[in-house]
Amino acid sequence: MSEVIAIYPGSFDPLTNGHVDIIQRGSRLFHRIVVGVLINLEKAPLFTVPERVAIAREVFRGWDNVEVDTFDGLLVEYARSKHAGVIVRGLRAVSDFEYELQMALMNRRLSPDVETVFMMPAEPYTYVSSRLVKEVVALGGSVHGLVPGIVEDRLREKKLARETLRA
Ligand code: PNS
């Protein structure tokens, strides 16, 4: 059987333990999994793309079949360029489904030979999102256990830097 390569695309602003859980599952299922950090010029991100890439590379250092990369443009074109036949997306709750279904079917229309595979994270992460993590940290709450340690450190640094700027 030829190598099955999967792309796990996303914003990862920031990477959460839910993402890590999906990548771990994907790394067991596929020969190689490429974490594709979207270069999205429209959003106002908390972390720059290079910061997000550096964090993910640190978290997945030593995971032999996990690669961290960036992409822009159409996801299916990026998948083709990486010789990936699979797009992995995490599904946490029914609320994720509609948007994910639209994307999966649009991607299938654009490139019928790329298959989207949905994976469920472990239960403790079913409510975790990058958006909520950012909100909780901005308001002074703890996200310990919900994000990798390095993300917790970087979030703290960002918050301190912003508070210093405002002072
Ligand atoms: O983590 P996110 O923000 O939910 O990830 C969204 C992502 C990166 C998967 C999506 O925005 C995407 O695939 N962007 C690439 C542009 C594209 O291919 N659009 C058409 C297919 S729906």
Coordinates of all heavy atoms in Angstrom, one line a residue, residues 69-123:
D69 N 3.6 22.9 8.9 CA 3.9 23.7 7.7 C 2.8 24.8 7.6 O 1.9 24.8 8.5 CB 3.7 22.7 6.5 CG 4.2 23.3 5.2 OD1 5.0 24.2 5.2 OD2 3.7 22.8 4.1
T70 N 3.0 25.7 6.7 CA 2.0 26.7 6.5 C 1.4 26.6 5.1 O 2.0 26.0 4.2 CB 2.6 28.1 6.6 OG1 3.6 28.2 5.6 CG2 3.1 28.4 8.0
F71 N 0.2 27.2 4.9 CA -0.4 27.2 3.5 C -1.3 28.4 3.4 O -1.7 29.0 4.3 CB -1.1 25.9 3.2 CG -2.5 25.8 3.8 CD1 -3.6 26.1 3.0 CD2 -2.7 25.5 5.1 CE1 -4.9 26.0 3.5 CE2 -4.0 25.4 5.7 CZ -5.1 25.7 4.9
D72 N -1.4 28.8 2.1 CA -2.4 29.8 1.8 C -3.1 29.3 0.5 O -2.7 28.3 -0.1 CB -1.9 31.2 1.7 CG -0.8 31.4 0.6 OD1 -0.6 30.4 -0.1 OD2 -0.2 32.4 0.6
G73 N -4.2 30.0 0.1 CA -4.9 29.6 -1.1 C -5.8 28.4 -0.8 O -6.2 28.2 0.4
L74 N -6.2 27.7 -1.8 CA -7.1 26.6 -1.6 C -6.5 25.4 -0.9 O -5.4 24.9 -1.3 CB -7.6 26.1 -3.0 CG -8.8 26.9 -3.7 CD1 -9.1 26.2 -5.0 CD2 -10.0 27.0 -2.8
L75 N -7.2 24.9 0.1 CA -6.8 23.8 0.8 C -6.5 22.5 0.0 O -5.5 21.8 0.1 CB -7.8 23.4 1.9 CG -7.5 22.2 2.8 CD1 -6.2 22.2 3.5 CD2 -8.7 22.0 3.8
V76 N -7.4 22.3 -1.0 CA -7.3 21.1 -1.8 C -6.0 21.2 -2.7 O -5.4 20.2 -3.0 CB -8.5 20.8 -2.7 CG1 -9.6 20.3 -1.8 CG2 -8.9 22.0 -3.5
E77 N -5.7 22.4 -3.1 CA -4.4 22.6 -3.9 C -3.2 22.3 -3.0 O -2.2 21.7 -3.5 CB -4.3 24.0 -4.5 CG -5.4 24.4 -5.5 CD -5.2 23.5 -6.7 OE1 -4.2 23.0 -7.0 OE2 -6.3 23.3 -7.4
Y78 N -3.3 22.8 -1.8 CA -2.2 22.5 -0.9 C -2.1 21.0 -0.6 O -1.0 20.5 -0.6 CB -2.5 23.3 0.4 CG -1.4 23.0 1.5 CD1 -0.1 23.3 1.3 CD2 -1.8 22.3 2.7 CE1 0.8 23.0 2.3 CE2 -0.9 22.0 3.7 CZ 0.4 22.4 3.5 OH 1.4 22.0 4.4
A79 N -3.2 20.3 -0.4 CA -3.2 18.9 -0.2 C -2.5 18.2 -1.4 O -1.7 17.3 -1.3 CB -4.6 18.4 -0.1
R80 N -2.9 18.6 -2.6 CA -2.3 18.1 -3.8 C -0.8 18.2 -3.8 O 0.0 17.3 -4.1 CB -2.9 18.7 -5.1 CG -2.8 17.9 -6.3 CD -3.1 18.7 -7.6 NE -4.3 19.5 -7.5 CZ -5.6 19.1 -7.7 NH1 -5.8 17.9 -8.1 NH2 -6.6 20.0 -7.6
S81 N -0.3 19.4 -3.4 CA 1.1 19.7 -3.4 C 1.8 18.9 -2.4 O 3.0 18.6 -2.6 CB 1.4 21.2 -3.2 OG 1.2 21.5 -1.8
K82 N 1.1 18.4 -1.4 CA 1.8 17.6 -0.4 C 1.5 16.1 -0.6 O 1.9 15.2 0.2 CB 1.2 17.9 1.0 CG 1.5 19.3 1.5 CD 3.0 19.7 1.6 CE 3.6 19.3 2.9 NZ 5.0 19.8 3.0
H83 N 0.9 15.8 -1.8 CA 0.5 14.4 -2.1 C -0.4 13.8 -1.0 O -0.3 12.6 -0.7 CB 1.8 13.5 -2.3 CG 2.7 14.1 -3.3 ND1 2.5 14.2 -4.7 CD2 3.9 14.8 -3.1 CE1 3.4 14.8 -5.3 NE2 4.3 15.2 -4.4
A84 N -1.2 14.6 -0.4 CA -2.1 14.1 0.6 C -3.5 13.7 0.0 O -4.1 14.5 -0.7 CB -2.3 15.2 1.7
G85 N -4.0 12.6 0.4 CA -5.3 12.1 -0.1 C -6.4 12.3 1.0 O -7.5 12.0 0.7
V86 N -6.0 12.8 2.1 CA -6.9 13.0 3.3 C -6.8 14.3 3.9 O -5.7 14.8 4.1 CB -6.6 11.9 4.3 CG1 -7.5 12.0 5.5 CG2 -6.8 10.5 3.8
I87 N -8.0 14.9 4.2 CA -8.0 16.1 5.0 C -8.7 15.7 6.4 O -9.7 15.0 6.4 CB -8.9 17.2 4.4 CG1 -8.3 17.7 3.1 CG2 -9.2 18.3 5.4 CD1 -9.2 18.6 2.3
V88 N -8.0 15.9 7.5 CA -8.5 15.6 8.8 C -9.1 16.8 9.4 O -8.5 17.9 9.4 CB -7.4 15.1 9.7 CG1 -7.9 14.9 11.1 CG2 -6.9 13.7 9.2
R89 N -10.3 16.7 10.0 CA -11.0 17.8 10.7 C -11.5 17.2 12.0 O -12.0 16.1 12.0 CB -12.1 18.4 9.9 CG -11.6 19.3 8.8 CD -10.9 20.5 9.1 NE -11.8 21.5 9.7 CZ -11.4 22.7 10.2 NH1 -10.1 22.9 10.3 NH2 -12.2 23.6 10.7
G90 N -11.4 17.9 13.1 CA -12.0 17.5 14.4 C -13.5 17.9 14.5 O -13.8 19.0 14.0
L91 N -14.3 17.0 15.0 CA -15.7 17.3 15.2 C -15.9 17.2 16.7 O -15.8 16.2 17.3 CB -16.6 16.3 14.5 CG -17.1 16.6 13.2 CD1 -18.2 15.6 12.8 CD2 -17.7 18.0 13.0
R92 N -16.3 18.4 17.4 CA -16.5 18.3 18.8 C -18.0 18.1 19.1 O -18.3 17.3 20.0 CB -16.0 19.6 19.4 CG -14.6 19.8 19.4 CD -14.2 21.2 19.7 NE -14.8 22.1 18.6 CZ -14.4 23.4 18.4 NH1 -13.6 24.0 19.3 NH2 -15.0 24.1 17.5
A93 N -18.8 18.8 18.5 CA -20.3 18.8 18.8 C -21.1 19.0 17.5 O -20.5 19.3 16.5 CB -20.6 19.9 19.8
V94 N -22.4 18.8 17.7 CA -23.3 18.9 16.5 C -23.1 20.3 15.9 O -23.2 20.5 14.7 CB -24.7 18.7 16.9 CG1 -25.7 18.9 15.8 CG2 -24.9 17.3 17.5
S95 N -22.8 21.3 16.8 CA -22.7 22.7 16.3 C -21.5 22.8 15.3 O -21.6 23.7 14.4 CB -22.5 23.6 17.5 OG -21.5 23.1 18.3
D96 N -20.5 22.0 15.3 CA -19.4 22.1 14.4 C -19.9 21.5 13.0 O -19.3 21.8 12.0 CB -18.3 21.2 14.8 CG -17.4 21.8 15.9 OD1 -17.5 23.0 16.1 OD2 -16.7 21.0 16.6
F97 N -20.9 20.7 13.0 CA -21.2 19.8 11.9 C -21.5 20.6 10.6 O -21.0 20.3 9.5 CB -22.3 18.8 12.2 CG -22.5 17.8 11.1 CD1 -21.6 16.8 10.8 CD2 -23.6 18.0 10.3 CE1 -21.8 16.0 9.7 CE2 -23.8 17.1 9.2 CZ -22.9 16.1 8.9
E98 N -22.4 21.6 10.7 CA -22.9 22.3 9.5 C -21.8 22.9 8.7 O -21.6 22.7 7.5 CB -23.9 23.3 9.9 CG -24.8 23.7 8.7 CD -26.0 24.5 9.1 OE1 -26.5 24.3 10.2 OE2 -26.4 25.4 8.3
Y99 N -20.9 23.7 9.4 CA -19.8 24.3 8.8 C -18.8 23.3 8.2 O -18.3 23.4 7.0 CB -19.1 25.2 9.8 CG -17.8 25.8 9.5 CD1 -17.7 26.7 8.4 CD2 -16.7 25.6 10.3 CE1 -16.4 27.2 8.1 CE2 -15.4 26.2 10.0 CZ -15.3 27.0 8.9 OH -14.1 27.6 8.6
E100 N -18.6 22.2 8.9 CA -17.6 21.2 8.5 C -18.2 20.5 7.3 O -17.4 20.1 6.4 CB -17.3 20.2 9.6 CG -16.6 20.8 10.8 CD -15.2 21.4 10.4 OE1 -14.6 20.9 9.4 OE2 -14.7 22.3 11.1
L101 N -19.5 20.2 7.3 CA -20.1 19.5 6.1 C -20.0 20.4 4.9 O -19.6 19.9 3.8 CB -21.6 19.2 6.4 CG -22.4 18.6 5.3 CD1 -22.0 17.1 5.1 CD2 -23.9 18.7 5.5
Q102 N -20.2 21.7 5.0 CA -20.1 22.6 3.9 C -18.7 22.5 3.3 O -18.5 22.4 2.1 CB -20.5 24.0 4.3 CG -21.9 24.2 4.5 CD -22.2 25.7 4.9 OE1 -21.3 26.4 5.2 NE2 -23.5 26.0 5.0
M103 N -17.7 22.7 4.2 CA -16.3 22.7 3.8 C -16.0 21.4 3.1 O -15.3 21.3 2.0 CB -15.4 22.9 4.9 CG -15.3 24.4 5.3 SD -13.8 24.8 6.1 CE -13.8 23.8 7.5
A104 N -16.4 20.3 3.7 CA -16.0 18.9 3.2 C -16.6 18.7 1.8 O -15.9 18.2 0.9 CB -16.5 17.8 4.1
L105 N -17.9 19.2 1.6 CA -18.5 18.9 0.3 C -18.0 19.9 -0.7 O -17.8 19.5 -1.9 CB -20.0 19.1 0.5 CG -20.7 18.0 1.3 CD1 -22.2 18.1 1.4 CD2 -20.3 16.6 0.9
M106 N -17.6 21.1 -0.3 CA -17.0 22.0 -1.3 C -15.6 21.5 -1.7 O -15.3 21.5 -2.9 CB -16.9 23.4 -0.6 CG -16.2 24.5 -1.5 SD -17.2 24.7 -3.0 CE -18.5 25.9 -2.4
N107 N -14.9 21.0 -0.7 CA -13.6 20.5 -1.0 C -13.7 19.2 -1.9 O -12.9 19.0 -2.8 CB -12.8 20.1 0.2 CG -12.2 21.4 0.9 OD1 -11.9 22.4 0.2 ND2 -12.1 21.4 2.2
R108 N -14.7 18.5 -1.7 CA -14.9 17.3 -2.5 C -15.3 17.7 -4.0 O -14.8 17.1 -4.9 CB -16.0 16.4 -2.0 CG -16.3 15.1 -2.8 CD -17.4 14.3 -2.2 NE -17.0 13.6 -1.0 CZ -17.9 13.0 -0.2 NH1 -19.2 13.0 -0.5 NH2 -17.5 12.3 0.8
R109 N -16.1 18.7 -4.1 CA -16.4 19.2 -5.4 C -15.2 19.7 -6.2 O -15.0 19.5 -7.4 CB -17.5 20.3 -5.3 CG -17.9 20.8 -6.6 CD -18.8 22.1 -6.5 NE -18.9 22.8 -7.7 CZ -19.9 22.6 -8.6 NH1 -20.8 21.7 -8.4 NH2 -19.9 23.2 -9.8
L110 N -14.3 20.4 -5.4 CA -13.1 21.0 -6.0 C -12.1 19.9 -6.3 O -11.4 20.0 -7.3 CB -12.5 22.0 -5.0 CG -13.2 23.3 -4.8 CD1 -12.6 24.0 -3.6 CD2 -13.2 24.2 -6.0
S111 N -12.1 18.9 -5.5 CA -11.1 17.8 -5.7 C -11.6 16.5 -5.2 O -11.5 16.1 -4.0 CB -9.8 18.2 -4.9 OG -8.8 17.2 -5.2
P112 N -12.4 15.7 -6.1 CA -13.1 14.5 -5.7 C -12.1 13.4 -5.1 O -12.6 12.5 -4.4 CB -13.7 14.0 -7.0 CG -13.8 15.2 -7.9 CD -12.6 16.1 -7.5
D113 N -10.9 13.5 -5.4 CA -10.0 12.4 -4.9 C -9.4 12.7 -3.6 O -8.6 11.9 -3.0 CB -8.8 12.2 -6.0 CG -8.2 13.5 -6.4 OD1 -8.8 14.5 -6.1 OD2 -7.1 13.4 -7.1
V114 N -9.8 13.8 -2.9 CA -9.3 14.1 -1.6 C -10.5 13.8 -0.6 O -11.5 14.4 -0.8 CB -8.8 15.5 -1.4 CG1 -8.4 15.8 0.1 CG2 -7.6 15.8 -2.3
E115 N -10.2 12.9 0.3 CA -11.3 12.5 1.3 C -11.2 13.3 2.6 O -10.1 13.3 3.2 CB -11.2 11.0 1.5 CG -12.5 10.3 1.9 CD -13.6 10.5 0.9 OE1 -13.4 10.1 -0.3 OE2 -14.7 10.9 1.3
T116 N -12.3 13.8 3.1 CA -12.3 14.4 4.4 C -12.6 13.4 5.5 O -13.6 12.7 5.3 CB -13.3 15.6 4.5 OG1 -12.9 16.6 3.6 CG2 -13.3 16.2 5.9
V117 N -11.8 13.3 6.5 CA -12.1 12.4 7.6 C -12.3 13.2 8.9 O -11.4 14.0 9.3 CB -10.8 11.4 7.8 CG1 -11.0 10.5 9.0 CG2 -10.7 10.5 6.5
F118 N -13.4 12.9 9.5 CA -13.7 13.6 10.8 C -13.3 12.8 12.0 O -13.6 11.6 12.0 CB -15.2 13.9 10.9 CG -15.7 15.0 9.9 CD1 -16.6 14.6 8.9 CD2 -15.2 16.2 9.9 CE1 -17.0 15.5 8.0 CE2 -15.6 17.2 9.0 CZ -16.5 16.8 8.0
M119 N -12.7 13.4 12.9 CA -12.3 12.6 14.1 C -12.8 13.3 15.4 O -12.7 14.6 15.4 CB -10.7 12.5 14.1 CG -10.2 11.7 12.9 SD -8.5 11.6 12.9 CE -8.2 10.4 14.2
M120 N -13.2 12.6 16.3 CA -13.7 13.1 17.6 C -12.5 13.2 18.6 O -11.8 12.2 18.8 CB -14.8 12.2 18.2 CG -16.2 12.6 17.8 SD -16.4 12.4 16.0 CE -16.6 10.6 16.0
P121 N -12.4 14.3 19.3 CA -11.3 14.4 20.3 C -11.8 13.7 21.6 O -13.0 13.4 21.7 CB -11.2 15.9 20.6 CG -12.5 16.5 20.3 CD -13.1 15.6 19.1
A122 N -10.9 13.4 22.5 CA -11.3 12.8 23.8 C -12.3 13.8 24.5 O -12.2 15.0 24.3 CB -10.0 12.7 24.7
E123 N -13.2 13.2 25.3 CA -14.3 13.9 25.9 C -13.8 15.2 26.6 O -14.5 16.2 26.5 CB -15.1 13.1 26.9 CG -15.9 11.9 26.2 CD -15.1 10.6 26.3 OE1 -14.0 10.6 25.7 OE2 -15.6 9.7 27.0

